[in-house]
Amino acid sequence: MTITPNGTGINTSLGDDGLGQQPWWVEQWMELINSYRFKKRLERAWAYAREGHVTSIRFEGRRVHARVQGTGEDPYKVKLWLDVLSDEDWGYVLEALTQKARWSAQLLAGIMPSDIERAFAASGRRLFPFKLQEVRSECSCPDKANPCKHISAVYFLMGERFSEDPFVLFQLRGRTRAKLLEDLADHRLKALEAKATSAEPDSEGATRDAVTATDDTPPPPHPAVLDPTLWWRYDASLDGDLVVITPAMEGDTGLDAAGDLPLAEEPRFPEARPRFLSHLREQGQALAQQAMVEAMTAGA
């Protein structure tokens, strides 16, 4: 297993059951390689992926770099990448994602929306490659066919990676998970600010009155400042599109906020403290996921 720059491990071999039952976006990715007409080469590639011939997989920017052990002494070098979207293209995509809260909510929950290509249609581009030739690849082996069995083996393993994190597809198109979520939050904030500041005419054709304040007359405080019982009240109707239930961002858990916990350490059991913190973190994540599922179920 090789560790990627964001700390996520990528398996370099498949289990006995192969990929098994997978989400639809993984199946769509696998349909491309399964459409390859040289079936014998695919069989060898599948065996390479199953038997651990892929010795490493790592991300370098927007490309996937791998090493695959063939019949020679030194492993072959494999590169795999997709055409990236320009900043202008991503602007159209983000605008479309912002206008539909369900897309943002599903992505933040680690789910690929089934109609995600509609958001990319605004830019005239696609998230998923339409044909196998759109998946760019290189291999240092002497086989002139592309994809060769070494590239195909990496392709199979990338499908497993997509099942764990659909944001890898966005990364190959030029936006990392952190950057995409940051841009989504920024676009959504700007949309809310624009909606809040826009003036709407009333029934008599006049615009709504705006409360202005001079330097000499500060604006009155919000009633909740004077009455704490109003902090948790919201009597006005709430637009459903403004409510998005999401898991915590990476590095934003309660343990992270608390910092280093002053737990006692026993020299005879040096692993006790990190194991306790690991179990505590896992329990917190499990409870958070359960709460999010219950909240989304109640909203539905």
Side-chain angles (χ1 to χ4, degrees):
M1 177 179 288
T2 295
I3 303 301
T4 61
N6 61 3
T8 304
I10 298 181
N11 291 327
T12 52
S13 64
L14 296 175
D16 294 336
D17 297 332
L19 289 176
Q21 185 67 33
Q22 293 293 335
W24 71 267
W25 60 89
V26 178
E27 293 179 354
Q28 183 162 337
W29 172 262
M30 298 304 294
E31 283 179 3
L32 290 176
I33 192 66
N34 289 330
S35 66
Y36 192 41
R37 60 191 181 95
F38 296 103
K39 300 303 180 183
K40 288 295 183 181
R41 185 174 280 113
L42 283 185
E43 291 177 3
R44 291 292 304 278
W46 184 253
Y48 270 35
R50 292 278 296 273
E51 297 168 5
H53 283 256
V54 181
T55 60
S56 69
I57 301 178
R58 69 186 187 279
F59 279 97
E60 288 187 3
R62 299 160 183 170
R63 295 194 176 194
V64 177
H65 292 251
R67 292 181 179 269
V68 183
Q69 186 65 56
T71 55
E73 181 179 354
D74 297 326
Y76 296 115
K77 298 178 181 179
V78 173
K79 298 179 183 178
L80 187 150
W81 69 97
L82 301 178
D83 291 339
V84 299
L85 274 64
S86 66
D87 290 340
E88 181 180 6
D89 290 334
W90 273 111
Y92 288 115
V93 174
L94 290 166
E95 184 68 24
L97 290 175
T98 302
Q99 292 176 1
K100 202 161 189 175
R102 176 176 60 83
W103 284 338
S104 300
Q106 288 181 315
L107 285 173
L108 291 168
I111 300 172
M112 182 73 75
S114 59
D115 54 350
I116 187 65
E117 290 293 4
R118 292 176 57 188
F120 281 78
S123 66
R125 305 292 295 274
R126 289 176 56 88
L127 174 61
F128 289 89
F130 182 72
K131 53 186 178 180
L132 187 59
Q133 288 75 14
E134 294 179 16
V135 182
R136 317 297 184 184
S137 55
E138 295 178 0
C139 183
S140 61
C141 76
D143 191 348
K144 296 186 180 302
N146 191 323
C148 63
K149 56 180 175 290
H150 313 106
I151 293 174
S152 301
V154 176
Y155 198 106
F156 284 128
L157 290 169
M158 288 303 299
E160 183 181 41
R161 180 72 182 104
F162 293 150
S163 69
E164 299 170 356
D165 184 4
F167 284 95
V168 173
L169 276 167
F170 292 91
Q171 182 171 341
L172 292 176
R173 288 299 193 188
R175 280 293 188 276
T176 63
R177 181 182 190 275
K179 179 62 175 173
L180 178 65
L181 298 183
E182 178 185 347
D183 290 343
L184 272 176
D186 183 59
H187 272 68
R188 190 161 186 80
L189 178 60
K190 290 180 179 178
L192 292 176
E193 290 176 345
K195 185 176 181 180
T197 57
S198 62
E200 299 179 3
D202 58 20
S203 58
E204 298 178 356
T207 58
R208 295 178 178 177
D209 294 335
V211 177
T212 60
T214 65
D215 294 338
D216 299 331
T217 306
H222 191 279
V225 175
L226 304 177
D227 185 2
T229 60
L230 301 177
W231 288 0
W232 304 110
R233 289 182 56 187
Y234 190 84
D235 298 328
S237 60
L238 186 63
D239 186 352
D241 287 340
L242 303 182
V243 180
V244 179
I245 303 173
T246 67
M249 297 287 289
E250 293 181 0
D252 193 23
T253 66
L255 285 177
D256 295 317
D260 190 24
L261 301 182
L263 301 178
E265 296 189 33
E266 171 56 59
R268 294 178 301 169
F269 308 103
E271 298 298 322
R273 183 178 183 276
R275 287 181 62 185
F276 172 78
L277 291 176
S278 177
H279 290 317
L280 187 62
R281 187 182 300 275
E282 291 175 358
Q283 183 187 35
Q285 291 176 343
L287 292 175
Q289 292 175 355
Q290 179 182 353
M292 186 180 71
V293 171
E294 292 178 356
M296 295 181 70
T297 302

